[in-house]
Amino acid sequence: MTEEAAGVSVRDVWKGYAGVPVLKGVSLSLERGQIHALLGGNGAGKSTLMRVIAGLAHADRGAVFIRGQELRPASAKKAHMLGLYLVPQEAHVFASLTVYENIVIGVPGSKAALSAKLEGFMREMGVCLDLEEIAGSLEIADRQIVEILRGLIRDASYLILDEPTSALTPRETGALFATMRRLVAGGMGIIFISHKLREVREICDVITVLRDGVIVHSGMLSEISDDGIVAAMIDAVADKARHEVSHAADEVVLELDRLGGEGFHGVSLALRRGEILGIAGVVGAGRTELAETIVGLRPIASGTCRLDGRQIAQPSPKTCADLGLVYLPEDRQSNGLFLEAPISWNVSAAIMHRLPTFFAGAAETKRAETFIRELGIKCRGAEQQVLRLSGGNQQKVLMARCLAAKPQVLILDEPTRGVDVAARADIYNIIFALAAAGTAIIVISSDFDEIEELCDRVAVMAHGHLSGVLEGADVSVKAIAQLAFSAEVSL
Amino acid sequence: MIRFFSKNRTASLLVISAVSFALIGAFAPGFLSFATVRTILINGMIMMTVSLGVMGVLLTRNIDVSVGSTLGLSAAVLGLLLQAEVALPLAMAGALATGLLAGLLNGVLVAVIGVPAIIATLGTLGLYRGLLLILTGGVWIENLPQSLKALASPRFAGFPILIFVVAAIVLLAHLFLSHTRKGRFVYAVGDNRDAARHIGLPVRHIELSVFVFAGLMSAVGGIIFAAQIGFLPGQAGSGIELRVIAACVLGGISLLGGSGTVAGLVVAVFFLTSIDSALIYLRIPGYWNDLIAGAMLLLVLVVDGRLRLLIDKSVRAKRYANHASTDKGQSLIKATPGLTTSGGNQ
Amino acid sequence: MRPSLRFLLRWESFLVLLLIAEILIFGAINPRFLRPSSLLYSTSDFVQIGIVALPLTLVIIAGGIDVSFASVVGLCAIVFGVSVHFGLNVPVAMLLAVLAGGLCGLFNAAVILTSRIQPLVVTLGSLYLFSGLAVVLSGSIGAGGYEGIGGFPQFFTDIANMHLLGLPMPLAILLIEAILLGCILQFTRFGRMVYLVGLSEKAALFNGMPLDRVRMWTYVLLGVFAAIAGLILTSYFGSARTDLGTQTLLSAVTAVALGGASVYGGKGTIFGTLIATLLVGYLQQGLQMSGVSSQISGALSGALLLIAVSGRQLAGGVSVLSFLRPTALHASK
Ligand SMILES: Nc1ncnc2c1ncn2[C@@H]1O[C@H](COP(=O)(O)OP(=O)(O)OP(=O)(O)O)[C@@H](O)[C@H]1O
Ligand SMILES: [Mg+2]
């Protein structure tokens, strides 16, 4: 079996949950010195396949070989010993251990040596994390970075990165790519999962496309066009509604006047009915803090916030819900979703206060089913636990929750994190339709392309301040990036 | 200073204990003395050992309510062996083995078979207590030999030998939990089981071992009980589970797993025991005991809780303060023109 | 029942099977046990467990815990006794006792929610506080610990022996309570929020749910029903004692846990707790009627519980109960 000895190889793997097959005979091989892109729509089975490779899930049939050794029975420990590490889609953080402990836990070696190595990686990636901080207080992007560092420090020969860039801004992504290139040059083999074709083009050599648990394409990346990849992945992408005209009315619904709070200061903004306002910036610029302050999850330190002309001294989530302001949080797993509850409960979660005291489950199920159809949520029915959905489908449930509330003002924090190309187009169309119907929308995103495509007006934040506002034809990825990064250089 | 308190759950409890001590001392002269402290330490020995065992279980996000019964059962085994004239060391080994087996059964039920810990240990709570009653026939074991009681009688500066054993165990547990890799694994399992599995920690082994340790510690508690009291009623140790879990939680060990320190536990045990001792010094009629003990505990909890909320708040404020200071007072964006009319309509 | 609960129902149907098996086995050992009258009337000895276990299920589903109910039972009985002693008429005294129960719950909620300390410790404190209060109160009118406060009018002591719909009063009260709480939990907004708050405090907060109010009401409900249990026991025994509820503590927690509620919140049903209460209660009664000595019956019931649960676990091959262990949910075995 010399071919297997070379790297990781998966042979005819089948895997199902509760009798429903997720992987249907997948074969794949990864060689050292190669970056292998794995693409596929939401729920195609990418994460499941990776969990099987990393020994975290048992395959029903088929085999996984790492360096010629069969991984049987499935064991994460054995996979580690054979030099394979999986950086999972949702960062697994030990909330009460320090960042340092989180990263090095389970790695043998002296503290001094580990620290030195860790600092090397952190410098290379250009990240600054307080290693003594308790990891529970980390923002989602930092959690992702902790997971990536965890993978790097383990000296793996094979690294699997399951959507590592979904929470990162272009700069961190760039640094990650540089690190990946160096590691691959040193003989590492990497599987890289992403929904962003541009990233895949930038870094990968080989591509495999998974669709409904079956491999539908594999080969060199240079031999297939973007359209070819998308066509292999999904049936059809909805035509992008052109969003050339802004629907912004004159009426202001949300007005911030020199608002200050935790992590930002002196932010003045006015949001009009029907307008799509983007808030761009790098990780840590204070965007999420701003949004959470507006919806009453953090205290206001200075300035004022007016909703619908009414001044709100200290908003609370409850008053916001009453006033029709809905927030889609960035961290879907811990803040957004009730993971162990069925989809239907989650879809109704934001409108609890509007439901009658006694309610029948039927209406709720119907509501959920409508959204499942509209958003193409891949599931086994409205009663399936959200926990058992793929990452992208969880994001869609979160979106459905916001839409069900028929908001007047909608704040979307990274609305398309982990969402596939087709669903992304769907979500964009929904956002446009909402705006056309008069909803005022704020989109917070680290993906500058997304901001450019979606927004009528873009406010760029850096270091807790607004560093500029772009409007109309001025909105471009380049201009956004300039504003987002320039402020940093000057500080 | 604030940062220190926020990082040390223990410190705030310590301060509160000291303050309440001083207050009690003001009302009950003679309370503030070395002798009192010694009494409290000696009285707290059983709770200390048993809660140390439970702490390990709680850290892994499990729970053990069978410790009281395990304590009673191993003490009974000790007593019966001694009555049968087995040598003291051997009898003690027997008691320890009993605790170990009891813990092992709990561990197997939870970690291997997968019964939720609360159900498993509620079951063994009844089982072990029943076994004790069957073993002893429901009769108290009396006339324990002097050699056993000697372990609990004053020896060095009024401290019995056993307290040094307990101190050593506490110290070792502290070193293990906070300074060894394996110790941190215990925290990791309770903090995030998925993540622990993910990075390849032996989750089941760890769970099994904490239950065995809890059983062992309960047996040590049983030996102390027998030595201190000198006889063994059938109800030995019953009801201690709740107090022990409370001590753990008060000491900052989360029932949700993954956080807490031995130092915090020590302070909490000391504090809870001192409430009992204070009641004696305050010369309150017996039937007021529960009321006052409950009120004191609640008062301290509320003060401690509020204090920590304040601390958290100021830590947060500090953390974000840098942003305010770098503010240059200018907002780069002026409110969009034509919007000054807002606020007119309701 | 809605499909989302099907998974839980599997566990509950197991409990039902277990209950039937238990009754049949005891019936085989002692045919007297199977007589409808003995099946019905033996419930009076353990109904109080269920009366507190059902609202305790709500508290636990909402992510809290309360151990003080064991004292509230006695305290409210004493409040009733003292009021009657001072000449209040019985219905008013009963109302007063229920009010006292509600206040106890409110007190717990207030302390827990203002101090943000884990409810287990807080309610342990109030467990002492309330029982101390009961002792002091009953001492104030010179009633001793064992005999308690007696001398209630006949019609009050008859309540526990009356019938409703052909059922003994205590059992009828339990069933009515179960239906009431079951409906609240399954069909009202409040019930839904109880689950959601327990499933994820953070997500509930982000969705603008009134976390504290939901939690508060669960504690108040428990207080009220603990008071009712105290009254029933007082009526049944003919005297109000401070320690009436002491025995219910462990049994009620067992019933809730065995009924499928997770101590980490978000899971559990009223039906499960009800069946588990009957299971635990009949086990005690059955062992007693089969002539097992009280010493052995403790060990036996513990062992039987373990054998049943782990047997089911092993028979399922996989961790069937894994849904009770929140952290094991991802286990992709
Ligand atoms: N534990 C589970 N129980 C039941 N079904 C599951 C479980 N985990 C995953 N699935 C199902 O398996 C399918 C594939 O999921 P997977 O997470 O592998 O998708 P994915 O390709 O990673 O998608 P995404 O791009 O959204 O992350 C989904 O339909 C999901 O519902
Ligand atoms: Mg995935």
Side-chain angles (χ1 to χ4, degrees):
Chain A
M1 284 188 196
T2 42
E3 45 157 356
E4 273 112 21
V8 177
S9 99
V10 178
R11 282 224 246 117
D12 193 32
V13 161
W14 289 71
K15 166 87 189 158
Y17 286 108
V20 182
V22 172
L23 298 176
K24 307 169 200 165
V26 176
S27 301
L28 183 87
S29 70
L30 169 70
E31 272 139 50
R32 302 188 68 153
Q34 196 179 58
I35 303 185
H36 195 132
L38 182 63
L39 280 86
N42 292 135
K46 302 180 296 294
S47 300
T48 307
L49 177 60
M50 294 306 112
R51 283 213 299 276
V52 169
I53 296 180
L56 291 160
H58 297 259
D60 300 336
R61 235 164 72 198
V64 176
F65 295 90
I66 303 173
R67 291 186 172 159
Q69 287 208 46
E70 188 174 357
L71 197 63
R72 179 177 295 262
S75 133
K77 192 158 185 172
K78 185 157 180 217
H80 287 177
M81 272 163 15
L82 293 171
L84 183 136
Y85 187 78
L86 163 66
V87 175
Q89 184 168 10
E90 305 289 346
H92 284 312
V93 165
F94 297 110
S96 50
L97 302 189
T98 64
V99 171
Y100 176 79
E101 283 177 326
N102 259 284
I103 296 172
V104 305
I105 187 161
V107 184
S110 76
K111 187 168 168 149
L114 284 176
S115 297
K117 200 159 131 197
L118 180 57
E119 254 148 44
F121 278 119
M122 284 173 58
R123 231 182 349 251
E124 183 174 358
M125 298 243 328
V127 293
C128 51
L129 284 172
D130 178 359
L131 288 178
E132 293 311 312
E133 197 182 343
I134 297 299
S137 59
L138 291 183
E139 301 285 328
I140 188 153
D142 289 332
R143 288 176 185 226
Q144 196 97 51
I145 288 171
V146 165
E147 260 296 359
I148 293 171
L149 287 170
R150 215 187 244 165
L152 295 178
I153 204 156
R154 261 151 239 264
D155 280 335
S157 326
Y158 306 101
L159 195 60
I160 301 175
L161 301 166
D162 193 349
E163 299 193 32
T165 55
S166 66
L168 303 185
T169 46
R171 208 167 46 140
E172 286 118 19
T173 305
L176 173 65
F177 286 177
T179 310
M180 280 164 68
R181 281 199 195 92
R182 182 179 66 77
L183 292 171
V184 166
M188 187 188 265
I190 297 179
I191 295 183
F192 177 76
I193 300 180
S194 172
H195 286 293
K196 299 176 186 164
L197 286 181
R198 169 192 292 220
E199 290 177 357
V200 170
R201 279 275 172 227
E202 188 178 338
I203 185 115
C204 299
D205 316 310
V206 186
I207 178 171
T208 295
V209 180
L210 199 60
R211 178 168 171 170
D212 287 334
V214 180
I215 290 187
V216 288
H217 175 90
S218 70
M220 296 306 288
L221 184 62
S222 49
E223 290 161 9
I224 184 168
S225 68
D226 281 4
D227 289 342
I229 296 175
V230 173
M233 247 168 27
I234 36 200
D235 286 331
V237 183
D239 282 336
K240 263 185 210 138
R242 303 293 299 168
H243 185 63
E244 275 153 0
V245 276
S246 157
H247 294 282
D250 279 345
E251 188 191 344
V252 170
V253 273
L254 179 71
E255 190 182 14
L256 312 179
D257 185 25
R258 286 190 297 277
L259 192 70
E262 296 176 340
F264 65 94
H265 208 77
V267 174
S268 298
L269 274 177
L271 179 68
R272 287 169 291 172
R273 199 172 288 289
E275 182 180 35
I276 306 177
L277 171 69
I279 299 187
V282 296
V283 171
R287 298 165 303 161
T288 296
E289 287 85 347
L290 173 64
E292 290 185 355
T293 307
I294 296 173
V295 295
L297 292 160
R298 291 172 185 261
I300 290 181
S302 60
T304 56
C305 170
R306 280 163 176 277
L307 190 60
D308 236 359
R310 245 180 299 177
Q311 177 153 346
I312 305 177
Q314 175 57 60
S316 78
K318 176 103 183 37
T319 53
C320 287
D322 289 342
L323 291 169
L325 191 153
V326 174
Y327 174 55
L328 179 142
E330 136 186 77
D331 187 348
R332 60 172 171 249
Q333 291 241 323
S334 60
N335 296 339
L337 295 167
F338 299 93
L339 285 176
E340 290 161 49
I343 298 174
S344 57
W345 290 22
N346 275 284
V347 171
S348 309
I351 50 170
M352 287 307 294
H353 61 290
R354 276 191 238 150
L355 294 178
T357 311
F358 294 91
F359 60 84
E364 186 176 44
T365 309
K366 227 173 98 203
R367 185 181 309 122
E369 276 164 359
T370 315
F371 283 109
I372 290 173
R373 230 173 311 117
E374 256 173 43
L375 297 180
I377 298 172
K378 201 172 164 190
C379 63
R380 239 161 271 158
E383 304 302 328
Q384 192 176 1
Q385 277 188 322
V386 169
L387 182 71
R388 299 183 191 282
L389 296 179
S390 80
N393 284 306
Q394 291 180 2
Q395 187 70 27
K396 292 184 198 169
V397 173
L398 195 60
M399 192 76 199
R401 194 202 78 191
C402 294
L403 296 179
K406 302 203 174 58
Q408 199 199 144
V409 181
L410 182 58
I411 302 181
L412 301 168
D413 202 345
E414 307 286 356
T416 58
R417 191 162 68 81
V419 161
D420 70 27
V421 191
R424 179 181 299 249
D426 287 342
I427 290 180
Y428 287 1
N429 286 342
I430 289 170
I431 292 177
F432 293 145
L434 281 175
T439 309
I441 300 169
I442 292 180
V443 177
I444 299 174
S445 178
S446 306
D447 182 345
F448 296 165
D449 291 313
E450 175 164 293
I451 295 265
E452 181 190 357
E453 192 165 344
L454 275 178
C455 303
D456 305 323
R457 199 154 57 100
V458 180
V460 185
M461 286 181 77
H463 280 269
H465 297 272
L466 274 186
S467 57
V469 172
L470 302 163
E471 200 160 355
D474 294 340
V475 178
S476 71
V477 171
K478 208 168 148 215
I480 297 171
Q482 233 161 24
L483 278 174
F485 300 132
S486 65
E488 245 170 64
V489 180
S490 70
L491 273 170
Chain B
M1 167 81 167
I2 282 171
R3 198 171 163 86
F4 173 75
F5 271 116
S6 80
K7 282 204 162 175
N8 292 276
R9 171 76 185 80
T10 322
S12 72
L13 191 60
L14 201 59
V15 169
I16 292 177
S17 306
V19 170
S20 35
F21 247 67
L23 281 177
I24 296 167
F27 287 104
F31 179 71
L32 294 180
S33 67
F34 174 66
T36 313
V37 173
R38 186 171 56 206
T39 313
I40 293 171
L41 286 176
I42 292 173
N43 289 347
M45 268 157 56
I46 296 177
M47 196 178 197
M48 188 66 237
T49 38
V50 179
S51 48
L52 200 61
V54 171
M55 171 183 180
V57 176
L58 292 180
L59 284 180
T60 60
R61 199 179 156 123
N62 282 298
I63 197 162
D64 188 348
V65 293
S66 73
V67 283
S69 297
T70 309
L71 185 154
L73 183 62
S74 17
V77 168
L78 175 72
L80 289 173
L81 287 175
L82 286 174
Q83 272 188 341
E85 316 231 313
V86 174
L88 183 61
L90 223 57
M92 278 164 58
L96 291 176
T98 310
L100 188 128
L101 285 177
L104 190 65
L105 177 59
N106 286 334
V108 168
L109 284 169
V110 174
V112 180
I113 302 183
V115 180
I118 177 87
I119 296 184
T121 55
L122 273 169
T124 52
L125 168 102
L127 178 64
Y128 299 156
R129 177 70 55 194
L131 283 180
L132 180 164
L133 292 174
I134 295 170
L135 273 182
T136 60
V139 213
W140 289 22
I141 301 174
E142 289 175 23
N143 302 326
L144 291 176
Q146 203 52 47
S147 56
L148 176 66
K149 293 184 201 160
L151 296 177
S153 48
R155 188 65 68 83
F156 308 100
F159 288 109
I161 290 185
L162 277 174
I163 206 165
F164 299 103
V165 177
V166 173
I169 296 175
V170 169
L171 196 68
L172 285 178
H174 166 73
L175 290 177
F176 173 74
L177 282 177
S178 50
H179 292 288
T180 67
R181 274 156 40 87
K182 289 241 161 61
R184 302 312 286 172
F185 288 178
V186 177
Y187 286 84
V189 168
D191 188 316
N192 190 335
R193 213 180 131 90
D194 279 339
R197 265 168 45 91
H198 189 109
I199 55 174
L201 301 186
V203 175
R204 282 165 189 250
H205 280 136
I206 293 169
E207 281 185 322
L208 194 68
S209 349
V210 291
F211 276 103
V212 169
F213 179 67
L216 216 52
M217 284 297 103
S218 311
V220 175
I223 294 173
I224 301 174
F225 185 97
Q228 280 186 336
I229 313 277
F231 62 89
L232 293 168
Q235 289 310 309
S238 87
I240 197 178
E241 53 277 343
L242 210 54
R243 290 169 57 85
V244 157
I245 294 172
C248 288
V249 176
L250 186 62
I253 296 152
S254 168
L255 290 178
L256 302 179
S259 66
T261 60
V262 174
L265 181 61
V266 171
V267 177
V269 168
F270 185 82
F271 175 74
L272 282 180
T273 321
S274 68
I275 288 186
D276 294 339
S277 309
L279 290 175
I280 301 169
Y281 275 88
L282 288 170
R283 294 206 179 75
I284 294 163
Y287 66 92
W288 282 85
N289 267 6
D290 274 1
L291 183 69
I292 306 240
M296 272 168 74
L297 181 55
L298 285 175
L299 193 71
V300 166
L301 287 179
V302 172
V303 172
D304 184 47
R306 299 305 299 179
L307 195 71
R308 270 194 303 149
L309 287 179
L310 275 178
I311 290 169
D312 282 353
K313 210 168 145 192
S314 68
V315 167
R316 263 178 90 138
K318 273 240 172 75
R319 192 160 123 208
Y320 290 109
N322 339 359
H323 278 282
S325 61
T326 54
D327 177 35
K328 289 162 220 134
Q330 81 201 42
S331 47
L332 282 159
I333 176 173
K334 300 281 171 273
T336 326
L339 298 176
T340 38
T341 51
S342 63
N345 50 355
Q346 202 238 31
Chain C
M1 196 57 69
R2 55 180 60 196
S4 65
L5 299 175
R6 216 181 290 143
F7 192 40
L8 288 177
L9 262 183
R10 288 226 303 259
W11 170 248
E12 281 145 15
S13 34
F14 164 68
L15 289 179
V16 171
L17 285 181
L18 212 57
L19 180 62
I20 295 172
E22 177 186 282
I23 291 175
L24 290 181
I25 291 171
F26 283 129
I29 297 173
N30 183 348
R32 263 195 314 131
F33 184 79
L34 274 182
R35 273 190 231 150
S37 63
S38 100
L39 277 179
L40 278 183
Y41 287 99
S42 59
T43 56
S44 295
D45 287 328
F46 62 80
V47 152
Q48 73 278 4
I49 297 173
I51 290 182
V52 286
L54 295 179
L56 180 62
T57 312
L58 256 65
V59 173
I60 287 181
I61 293 176
I65 181 109
D66 187 345
V67 293
S68 73
F69 66 86
S71 297
V72 177
V73 172
L75 176 60
C76 294
I78 294 296
V79 166
F80 171 76
V82 171
S83 319
V84 172
H85 177 84
F86 283 117
L88 247 60
N89 76 6
V90 171
V92 174
M94 285 168 77
L95 213 65
L96 214 60
V98 171
L99 195 70
L103 281 178
C104 288
L106 199 61
F107 174 81
N108 281 332
V111 176
I112 292 166
L113 299 175
T114 53
S115 69
R116 304 273 157 199
I117 298 258
Q118 296 209 21
L120 180 74
V121 214
V122 172
T123 55
L124 182 76
S126 48
L127 177 78
Y128 291 123
L129 183 76
F130 296 152
S131 84
L133 206 60
V135 170
V136 170
L137 257 181
S138 77
S140 72
I141 61 163
Y146 269 111
E147 64 275 23
I149 308 173
F152 299 117
Q154 177 82 37
F155 80 87
F156 176 73
T157 45
D158 279 348
I159 292 179
N161 299 317
M162 284 198 295
H163 287 82
L164 196 71
L165 309 169
L167 298 173
M169 189 56 122
L171 183 63
I173 292 179
L174 177 69
L175 293 182
I176 293 172
E177 179 193 352
I179 293 171
L180 183 77
L181 291 180
C183 287
I184 288 183
L185 202 53
Q186 298 304 332
F187 301 119
T188 70
R189 192 173 53 183
F190 171 75
R192 171 62 58 79
M193 287 201 278
V194 167
Y195 276 110
L196 293 180
V197 164
L199 278 171
S200 167
E201 192 170 327
K202 258 187 161 171
L205 189 71
F206 270 71
N207 279 294
M209 291 180 198
L211 276 176
D212 289 358
R213 219 168 45 201
V214 170
R215 291 221 162 117
M216 183 195 83
W217 278 111
T218 60
Y219 288 105
V220 172
L221 273 175
L222 178 54
V224 166
F225 280 107
I228 293 175
L231 289 174
I232 293 177
L233 286 172
T234 309
S235 162
Y236 189 62
F237 291 123
S239 73
R241 289 203 323 262
T242 57
D243 62 348
L244 276 179
T246 323
Q247 298 297 329
T248 60
L249 180 52
L250 272 182
S251 328
V253 172
T254 310
V256 176
L258 188 62
S262 153
V263 281
Y264 302 104
K267 291 189 187 73
T269 57
I270 292 293
F271 183 63
T273 304
L274 182 66
I275 299 297
T277 305
L278 296 178
L279 196 65
V280 172
Y282 278 129
L283 186 61
Q284 282 168 5
Q285 298 294 316
L287 287 173
Q288 210 172 28
M289 285 181 75
S290 312
V292 177
S293 79
S294 67
Q295 290 162 17
I296 301 182
S297 85
L300 215 52
S301 53
L304 287 178
L305 175 78
L306 289 176
I307 291 170
V309 175
S310 35
R312 148 115 179 162
Q313 199 77 333
L314 292 173
V318 292
S319 252
V320 183
L321 270 180
S322 62
F323 72 93
L324 290 178
R325 306 180 49 159
T327 43
L329 267 159
H330 259 312
S332 35
K333 224 174 157 183

